[in-house]
């Protein structure tokens, strides 16, 4: 398969890069970034697969410029950077990497909630600054037993619920429709969910409907004692509203892994102690990165050997 | 209840408040009111009378002592209270109380573990996730405006599938186990004795536990026997990727050897809430991203203190009505 052209959209995993180089004729888009249109013109006909991620996927322009594109294998669970409509129209297959990253994302969600409530990062800064000599740290807030609300009860949402239950948290959720086979309390209105819970996790897919699903109304409902944890997508949250709510004390705190304009994070947040900011690392562990990369490779190999795809979306 | 005449303090059961002068009962006034409405709280430091004569005068009537914070209770002190039957401690760790001296006099000791267990377990789990997933380091990275510059951030390690060894499976260790099971960790433990009602694999010593674990969570009491129990041997057995979480007491670990291992890259990381010489923390740790440092605040939530208040009142009431006590510390 060494003559099959595969386009990788940006650096995402050295391991994956090596694996792709060994098996295919790998083109790295970032080495040809200017002028991109020329590069695509020269090599486009040989490119049959695109490997993208949450930063750069496969938008309409890219798909149109690759006439022989057969498959987009995303190194991600989320598909918001892929023009699915265009792929469907052209019969292009799409695969992603669900399941393998579920645990890591859920772990990070709970880790962020603990870090915010128990002020773990602030404590760490306090110790490193040498200030403990001058006096004890202030009180933090208990995590166990708090009421948890989850937006989106899919794989990741369910994994969050399972973990939170071990901390004796009560679980409620909001999603497009009520889920059968669950005892968790369902809220058809997300603002009602926010009003009734102390920690709100965003764990749904990003679609047109869920864009800015966390808006001022929801943030105000969550309130000055409420905590927002976003391990979904930056665009789930109206970021300027979130920032002003935090600055004005209308929201108790936030743990954020994603932002509307990564890698840019609103600088007004940097001085706040009731938030924790991490750079989109939800699935960034050695183990899961390798598992995701292996899944991308397996899907590509299956496709080019005319075998069933392992994790097809389209 | 409103119709009942308030009892005179002299009619109420007597409780000696044992504290260092600088240490006040760390709770709201409602706790103090609750205590004073049900018990005659004798506090030598609130009397103009000299401490020694106050204590000697009241000693024949003192059956219960409330040991506030880390105020030491030595064998010599116990000599001055020949009728003492119960010590209600306001902390989980009791290394400031001469327990063998208490037990040899038939004095029962209760601690705060039951009130604190959930918060301490939350802290331990929070520290572990932070170390493995580099949360504090990542927060520093973002606040340091490095994300647009450096783009990619080093990978962390998955929590699921990690073999967690709990050193001391008491009330705190059990809560840690319960939580980590939900993350897909496997649990094993060591303890003074094997617990019959527990199905987790038991190791008779901490070195064997370490050899079969990826993570050690320290949830055991500091005594003469357990001092520096976590030493270089144990750290070597745990291995180069091993992580230690300490929510017990600083001296459970040979801190010098821990720092050497961490600085030398011989260990995966550590999450520490306690240290050998608080509030001093080895500065060599400050430059490490695989270490998370907490200033002995695992129990510092309002909920923990409320639970402690209730636990103390429950035990004092139980003692004076001959009912069973809770959170009793025994030799097992």
């Amino acid at each position: 398969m060494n003559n099959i052209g595969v386009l990788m959209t940006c650096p995402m995993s050295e391991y994956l890069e090596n694996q792709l180089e060994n098996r295919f004729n790998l083109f790295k888009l970032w080495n040809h970034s200017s002028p991109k249109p020329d590069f695509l013109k020269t090599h486009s006909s040989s490119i049959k697969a695109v490997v993208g991620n949450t930063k750069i996927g496969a938008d309409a322009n890219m798909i149109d410029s690759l006439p022989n594109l057969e498959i987009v294998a995303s190194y991600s669970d989320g598909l918001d950077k892929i023009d699915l409509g265009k792929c469907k129209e052209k019969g292009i297959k799409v695969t992603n990497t669900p399941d393998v990253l579920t645990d890591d994302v859920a772990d990070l969600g709970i880790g962020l909630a603990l870090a915010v409530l128990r002020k773990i990062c602030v404590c760490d800064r306090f110790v490193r600054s040498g200030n403990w000599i001058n006096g004890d740290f202030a009180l933090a807030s208990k995590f166990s037993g708090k009421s948890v609300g989850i937006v989106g009860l899919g794989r990741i949402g369910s994994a969050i619920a399972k973990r939170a239950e071990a901390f004796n948290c009560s679980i409620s959720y909001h999603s497009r429709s009520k889920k059968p086979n669950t005892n968790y309390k369902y809220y058809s209105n997300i603002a009602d969910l926010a009003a009734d819970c102390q920690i709100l996790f965003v764990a749904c897919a990003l679609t047109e409907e869920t864009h800015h699903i966390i808006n001022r109304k929801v943030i105000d409902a969550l309130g000055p004692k409420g905590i927002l944890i976003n391990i979904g997508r930056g665009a789930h949250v109206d970021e300027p509203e979130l920032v002003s709510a935090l600055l004005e004390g209308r929201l108790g705190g936030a743990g954020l892994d994603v932002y509307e304009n990564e890698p840019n994070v609103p600088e007004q947040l940097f001085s706040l102690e009731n938030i924790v900011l991490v750079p989109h690392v939800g699935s960034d562990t050695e183990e899961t990165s390798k598992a995701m990369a292996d899944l991308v490779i397996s899907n590509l190999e299956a496709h080019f050997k005319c075998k069933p795809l392992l994790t097809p979306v389209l | 209840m409103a119709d009942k005449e308030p009892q005179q303090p002299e009619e109420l059961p007597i409780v000696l408040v044992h504290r260092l002068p600088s240490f006040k009962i760390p709770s709201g006034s409602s706790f103090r009111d609750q205590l004073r409405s049900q018990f005659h709280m004798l506090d030598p430091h609130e009397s103009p009378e000299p401490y020694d004569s106050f204590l000697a005068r009241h000693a024949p009537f003192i059956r219960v002592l409330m040991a506030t914070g880390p105020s030491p209770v030595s064998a010599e002190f116990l000599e001055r209270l020949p009728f003492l039957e119960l010590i209600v401690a306001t902390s989980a760790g009791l290394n400031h109380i001469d327990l063998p001296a208490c037990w040899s006099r038939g004095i029962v000791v209760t601690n705060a573990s039951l009130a604190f267990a959930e918060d301490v377990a939350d802290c331990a789990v929070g520290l572990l996730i932070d170390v493995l997933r580099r949360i504090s380091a990542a927060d520093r990275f973002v606040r340091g405006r490095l994300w647009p510059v450096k783009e990619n951030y080093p990978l962390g390690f998955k929590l699921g599938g990690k073999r967690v060894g709990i050193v001391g499976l008491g009330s705190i260790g059990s809560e840690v186990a319960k939580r980590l099971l939900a993350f897909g960790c496997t649990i094993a433990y060591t303890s003074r004795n094997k617990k019959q009602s527990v199905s987790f694999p038991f190791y008779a010593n901490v070195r064997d536990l370490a050899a079969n674990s990826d993570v050690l969570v320290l949830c055991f009491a500091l005594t003469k026997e357990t001092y520096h129990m976590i030493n270089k041997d144990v750290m070597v057995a745990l291995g180069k990727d091993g992580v230690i979480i300490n929510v017990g007491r600083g001296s459970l670990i040979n801190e010098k050897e821990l720092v050497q291992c961490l600085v030398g890259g011989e260990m995966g990381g550590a999450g520490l809430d306690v240290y050998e010489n608080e509030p001093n923390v080895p500065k060599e740790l400050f430059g490490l991203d695989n270490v998370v440092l907490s200033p002995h605040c695992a129990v510092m939530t309002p909920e923990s203190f409320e639970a402690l208040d209730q636990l103390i009142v429950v035990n004092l009431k139980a003692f004076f009505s001959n009912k069973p006590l809770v959170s009793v510390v025994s030799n097992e």
Side-chain angles (χ1 to χ4, degrees):
Chain A
M1 285 187 265
N2 278 331
N3 56 345
I4 297 179
V6 173
L7 176 69
M8 201 176 186
T9 62
C10 60
M12 55 189 84
S13 156
E14 259 185 55
Y15 170 74
L16 178 57
E17 247 176 78
N18 294 337
Q19 294 293 316
L20 288 171
E21 259 163 351
N22 290 343
R23 289 166 168 72
F24 303 103
N25 185 16
L26 181 65
F27 297 95
K28 301 179 195 180
L29 186 60
W30 62 98
N31 286 343
H32 306 271
S33 54
S34 66
K36 192 153 61 172
D38 284 352
F39 154 74
L40 287 177
K41 240 198 288 196
T42 320
H43 297 281
S44 57
S45 52
S46 70
I47 291 173
K48 294 195 176 171
V50 165
V51 172
N53 70 351
T54 54
K55 234 166 80 171
I56 306 180
D59 61 9
N61 278 338
M62 181 181 296
I63 294 168
D64 278 336
S65 56
L66 299 171
N68 294 320
L69 184 61
E70 294 174 14
I71 177 169
V72 175
S74 193
Y75 179 76
S76 73
D77 186 17
L79 300 163
D80 42 286
K81 286 279 162 51
I82 299 176
D83 191 329
L84 292 172
K86 193 114 210 167
C87 289
K88 201 164 180 190
E89 188 193 301
K90 294 193 152 195
I92 296 168
K93 304 250 173 50
V94 178
T95 64
N96 64 348
T97 60
D99 293 333
V100 289
L101 49 68
T102 301
D103 286 340
D104 274 352
V105 178
D107 291 351
L108 183 70
I110 299 288
L112 285 171
L114 279 163
V116 173
L117 282 166
R118 297 301 302 267
K119 302 194 173 149
I120 296 180
C121 307
V122 186
C123 277
D124 182 87
R125 275 201 289 280
F126 177 76
V127 174
R128 283 174 204 249
S129 71
N131 275 334
W132 194 9
I133 314 275
N134 299 325
D136 277 339
F137 193 71
L139 292 183
S141 188
K142 186 170 183 168
F143 175 75
S144 277
K146 287 231 160 32
S147 50
V148 161
I150 303 178
V151 184
L153 201 67
R155 284 176 294 257
I156 294 173
S158 302
I160 291 172
K162 178 177 167 198
R163 284 149 177 75
E165 280 185 307
F167 292 82
N168 302 323
C169 295
S170 61
I171 311 290
S172 316
Y173 71 103
H174 165 75
S175 63
R176 270 169 305 192
S177 55
K178 193 164 186 228
K179 305 267 173 189
N181 306 323
T182 166
N183 288 331
Y184 305 141
K185 186 172 177 192
Y186 173 68
Y187 285 79
S188 56
N189 182 312
I190 188 177
D192 291 342
L193 174 67
D196 278 0
C197 71
Q198 293 162 297
I199 311 173
L200 186 65
F201 289 88
V202 181
C204 55
L206 181 64
T207 62
E208 266 168 33
E209 293 86 38
T210 63
H211 181 266
H212 282 196
I213 193 175
I214 308 296
N215 54 21
R216 178 161 183 143
K217 189 161 172 228
V218 173
I219 291 170
D220 282 343
L222 193 48
K225 292 206 154 71
I227 308 288
L228 177 73
I229 304 294
N230 191 2
I231 37 128
R233 286 287 179 270
H236 278 128
V237 175
D238 184 336
E239 202 162 87
E241 284 293 347
L242 175 67
V243 172
S244 59
L246 286 165
L247 290 174
E248 292 164 25
R250 285 183 286 112
L251 180 63
L256 306 173
D257 185 38
V258 286
Y259 312 83
E260 287 212 80
N261 184 24
E262 295 169 21
N264 301 298
V265 175
E267 301 222 336
Q268 308 100 302
L269 297 179
F270 291 169
S271 58
L272 296 178
E273 292 203 335
N274 56 343
I275 54 164
V276 175
L277 306 164
V278 295
H280 203 152
V281 292
S283 56
D284 284 7
T285 64
E286 301 267 346
E287 298 88 338
T288 293
S289 294
K290 183 173 180 299
M292 284 167 66
D294 287 343
L295 194 45
V296 167
I297 299 288
S298 300
N299 273 308
L300 288 175
E301 287 193 329
H303 170 73
F304 291 116
K305 289 179 181 166
C306 301
K307 294 216 174 93
L309 298 173
L310 282 81
T311 48
V313 175
L314 286 180
Chain B
M1 280 293 282
D3 294 325
K4 210 170 163 189
E5 281 280 323
Q7 284 184 275
Q8 294 305 310
E10 292 72 37
E11 297 162 0
L12 296 171
I14 291 172
V15 176
L16 177 69
V17 177
H18 178 64
R19 62 181 177 95
L20 295 168
S22 53
F23 218 96
K24 295 244 167 67
I25 298 176
S27 305
S29 57
S30 68
F31 174 56
R32 269 198 290 277
D33 291 344
Q34 242 197 319
L35 287 178
R36 282 172 205 278
S37 66
Q38 297 180 70
F39 310 102
H40 182 186
M41 306 302 291
L42 280 179
D43 189 341
H45 296 297
E46 281 182 6
S47 161
E49 190 180 347
Y51 182 92
D52 291 339
S53 73
F54 182 97
L55 197 67
R57 190 162 60 81
H58 288 98
F61 312 104
I62 294 171
R63 296 168 63 208
V64 181
L65 177 161
M66 185 171 83
T68 307
S71 314
V73 178
S74 64
E76 294 71 39
F77 182 76
L78 293 175
E79 292 280 309
R80 303 163 76 172
L81 300 171
F83 299 99
L84 189 65
E85 296 171 47
L86 170 67
I87 295 177
V88 173
T90 66
S91 58
L94 298 178
N95 47 303
H96 55 289
I97 296 180
D98 190 334
L99 288 174
C102 293
W103 292 326
S104 69
R105 286 167 170 71
I107 298 170
V108 174
V109 183
T110 65
N111 73 350
S113 282
L114 222 57
F116 290 168
E118 287 190 332
D119 272 314
V120 179
D122 288 357
C123 179
V125 174
L127 286 172
L128 178 58
I129 302 178
D130 195 322
V131 172
L132 288 176
R133 300 299 300 273
R134 310 170 61 99
I135 295 179
S136 286
D139 181 81
R140 279 196 290 279
F141 177 80
V142 173
R143 284 176 203 252
R145 296 167 170 80
L146 293 172
W147 194 9
V149 174
K150 283 206 179 153
E151 295 231 345
N152 284 321
Y153 188 71
L155 295 174
F157 296 95
K158 193 180 165 85
L159 183 53
K162 289 281 177 294
R163 301 166 300 165
V164 173
I166 302 197
V167 191
L169 201 64
S171 39
I172 294 172
S174 304
E175 292 289 338
V176 172
K178 177 181 158 198
R179 282 151 179 71
L180 289 179
L181 280 173
F183 290 84
C185 297
T186 61
I187 307 288
Y189 74 104
T190 185
S191 205
R192 270 170 302 194
N193 302 297
K194 186 170 199 263
K195 311 233 171 209
Q196 292 313 319
S197 53
V198 162
S199 58
F200 304 134
F202 170 76
Y203 289 87
N205 66 70
V206 72
R207 213 202 138 284
D208 288 347
L209 178 67
N212 290 282
S213 299
D214 305 304
V215 176
L216 286 183
V217 184
L218 310 186
C219 306
F220 59 109
L222 176 63
T223 65
K224 276 202 284 273
E225 293 79 30
T226 63
Y227 175 83
H228 281 196
M229 200 166 94
I230 310 301
N231 55 24
K232 177 117 193 191
D233 273 348
V234 174
M235 295 177 218
V236 167
L238 188 58
K240 280 199 135 232
D241 292 331
V243 173
I244 292 182
I245 304 296
N246 191 3
V247 289
R249 284 288 180 268
S251 297
L252 298 177
I253 303 183
N254 182 325
E255 196 165 89
K256 223 163 151 186
E257 289 177 352
L258 175 71
V259 171
Q260 268 170 9
C261 281
L262 286 166
V263 169
E266 291 155 51
M267 263 183 69
L272 308 171
D273 185 48
V274 285
Y275 312 85
E276 290 220 72
N277 184 25
E278 295 168 19
N280 300 294
V281 176
K283 293 191 169 52
E284 302 92 312
L285 299 178
F286 292 176
L288 299 177
D289 274 354
N290 58 344
V291 172
V292 181
L293 304 166
S294 172
H296 200 157
C297 57
V299 307
M300 303 266 281
T301 67
E303 293 91 341
S304 241
F305 290 128
E306 270 167 42
L308 173 62
D309 295 349
Q310 280 180 38
L311 177 58
I312 291 172
V313 172
V314 158
N315 267 338
L316 291 176
K317 277 168 83 164
F319 175 78
F320 287 113
S321 34
N322 290 318
K323 296 231 169 75
L325 300 165
V326 289
S327 211
V328 176
V329 179
S330 67
N331 210 1
E332 280 155 37

